[in-house]
Amino acid sequence: DLPIVTGRLFDIGEVYRNPTEVKMSQIVLPCHANHCGELSVGQLLKWMDSTACLSAERHAGCSCITASVDDIHFEHTIGVGQVVSIIAKVNRAFTSSMEVGILVTCEDLYIGKEWKVCHAFASFVARRTETGKVQLKQVIPHTQLEQVEYSLAAERRRMRLIHVETITDLLSNCAAQLECQEHKDAIPAEKTRVESVELVLPPHANHQVSTFGGQIMAWMENVATIAASRLCNAHPTLRSIDMFHFRGPSHIGDRLVLKAIVNNSFKTSMEVGVCAEAYKGGEPLRHINSAFMTFEVLDGDRKPCMLPRIRPEPVDGKRRYQEALARKKIRLDRKYIITSKQTQVPLSVPWDQSNQMYLSLNNVSALKIMVAKTNWVLTSEKNKVSLYTLEENQVLCFKVEMKVNIPADQTFHLLSDLRKRMEWDRHYEKCEVVLQADEEDTIYRVASPSITKGGKGQDFIMLASRRQPCDARDPYLIAVRSVTLPTHPPTDDYTRGEVLCAGFCIWEESSSVTKITYYNQASPGVLPYISRDIVGLSSSYYCIFSACSDFLKANKTCLGAPPPPPAAP
């Protein structure tokens, strides 16, 4: 995981600090703790929301409200007497909303040890002022890590917007696998149902006289914990929270109705669904927030215990049961594809419709991280084509850079369809569309000739993910990585190669001048094609990218390449 903040020297003795950064430190007292002497997660959520809100308001210059908090995974618990440190900063601002990164660490004052507890992203919306809707100023990244977070914030925003669609698609495409199973001695889900009401008083309100978002999250965590306890007859530990999404405000005088129920249990973990609704007087209930929390029960050695299985009620209970399975599938995909270290994951990850969203995110995010690196070394330059290398943690990356007198959008369209690469890249002997996942994601099979006389060629199954700029400060991106498909196993005619991270970054320098940079993390399958160029024994890559420039010039007036035709999965 990337740390939230970093410092660098601008002038001698002057250390850079992000202007939106806010820090909070709290010592955990018994009044903050649960029965186990550990910090209540509800209290931690309050502190996190307060810190993030102050960071958002520092950037916006006006009042801000919590719109959502992305998934949170709690890596460690925090004990009484330990110190919690929270750092928040604005990663990126959009029109009237912004993403705030939150890092929580814990310090044991007696042994001088500090460790990470969780890392989260919250979205805040600037409230309208008397002059009308707020137009937020842009965030200017100053460090490499800030540039990475700025760039990835656009991808995370895209994921939030399609989160509900992903669940719906998974439920419709995997209905057979998500069917309810009968278990002997299963406990009726209704036994775990909890309902509680809270009167919103002035101490529960924020400085804008709305119910404090952190307070609502704390109340939701409380009823969810009670529901989980009723299933296991023990004290559960909260491990993760799926996205909090605030659908509307509540105010002083509102009655907040909080409901929770165990949706499903999975051997050593359970998912609890919880919602908050508000009313005042005889008004109908207003939906305020929903979330899904995953609990475990730990034994004396802090190992998860086996849990009873759930028997859902008909109709709504069965729906909740199936949706919990779908969310678990997404959580596992996300953990496998995104949060694992590169050394723990094979280069080619299996592709299917249920993990398409996270593979696409990982594909684009990996390229954006490579683009943000600053310590590239110029290896050689020829005919206005520059070759750079970067060796980091025993990994070799290279990039090829050039400029063309062609509009950026046209360049993007021409390079987006990898089949057209056969016209200028001799390493692309064959290229065919295997699957058109959607408008932005296409899977290709690419065959490359042998680099040795009489040897086998290589073939690659590659996911190409395309992104247009989120705003004027973003480039066009075409990210490529290897995937596996059961319909296209390795064959005897080719050696199956793998690409970990590659792609094009296309920057508009003016209306007619575009900078094109090609990036590649040199995996064993790719390195033989570029190694001679890197050590200066060949200039084949200069010839290839000169041919790319000629191809773009020859097609500069052509209409943008249409997307490949859809293929059946």
Side-chain angles (χ1 to χ4, degrees), residues 385-527:
V385 177
S386 303
L387 175 64
Y388 296 80
T389 58
L390 171 64
E391 291 186 68
E392 198 171 73
N393 300 324
Q394 298 182 327
V395 173
L396 174 67
C397 303
F398 67 89
K399 71 175 182 178
V400 183
E401 193 169 271
M402 66 179 182
K403 294 184 180 181
V404 293
N405 294 319
I406 300 165
D409 58 346
Q410 179 70 358
T411 302
F412 173 70
H413 285 304
L414 290 169
L415 296 178
S416 285
D417 188 351
L418 298 193
R419 293 173 300 180
K420 290 189 174 294
R421 193 161 166 175
M422 291 187 290
E423 298 182 35
W424 56 269
D425 188 347
R426 63 181 179 82
H427 295 149
Y428 272 52
E429 190 175 60
K430 298 178 183 176
C431 183
E432 60 181 347
V433 174
V434 172
L435 177 67
Q436 180 67 39
D438 58 28
E439 293 181 358
E440 295 183 321
D441 294 310
T442 308
I443 298 178
Y444 296 88
R445 177 184 174 271
V446 176
S448 299
S450 170
I451 58 172
T452 60
K453 189 174 181 180
K456 282 186 181 181
Q458 288 195 101
D459 71 341
F460 302 82
I461 305 298
M462 297 195 296
L463 169 66
S465 302
R466 297 170 285 272
R467 296 288 190 273
Q468 297 199 41
C470 182
D471 58 40
R473 300 182 60 200
D474 285 332
Y476 293 86
L477 288 171
I478 304 164
V480 177
R481 66 157 297 153
S482 286
V483 294
T484 58
L485 284 175
T487 55
H488 288 73
T491 65
D492 294 335
D493 298 331
Y494 290 91
T495 300
R496 178 58 51 88
E498 292 186 313
V499 174
L500 180 59
C501 176
F504 291 94
C505 182
I506 301 164
W507 294 92
E508 181 181 60
E509 297 210 333
S510 71
S511 59
S512 60
V513 178
T514 299
K515 182 174 75 173
I516 303 172
T517 310
Y518 174 74
Y519 293 85
N520 201 309
Q521 183 170 326
S523 62
V526 172
L527 190 58

Side-chain angles (χ1 to χ4, degrees), residues 354-398:
S354 67
N355 70 2
Q356 174 193 335
M357 179 175 70
Y358 290 102
L359 268 176
S360 181
L361 169 66
N362 174 261
N363 193 16
V364 174
S365 298
L367 180 59
K368 286 185 172 185
I369 290 171
M370 200 185 304
V371 170
K373 294 184 182 297
T374 57
N375 47 341
W376 294 92
V377 176
L378 178 63
T379 301
S380 54
E381 192 169 21
K382 183 177 180 181
N383 299 331
K384 297 183 180 180
V385 177
S386 303
L387 175 64
Y388 296 80
T389 58
L390 171 64
E391 291 186 68
E392 198 171 73
N393 300 324
Q394 298 182 327
V395 173
L396 174 67
C397 303
F398 67 89

Side-chain angles (χ1 to χ4, degrees), residues 12 178 562:
I12 296 176
L178 301 177

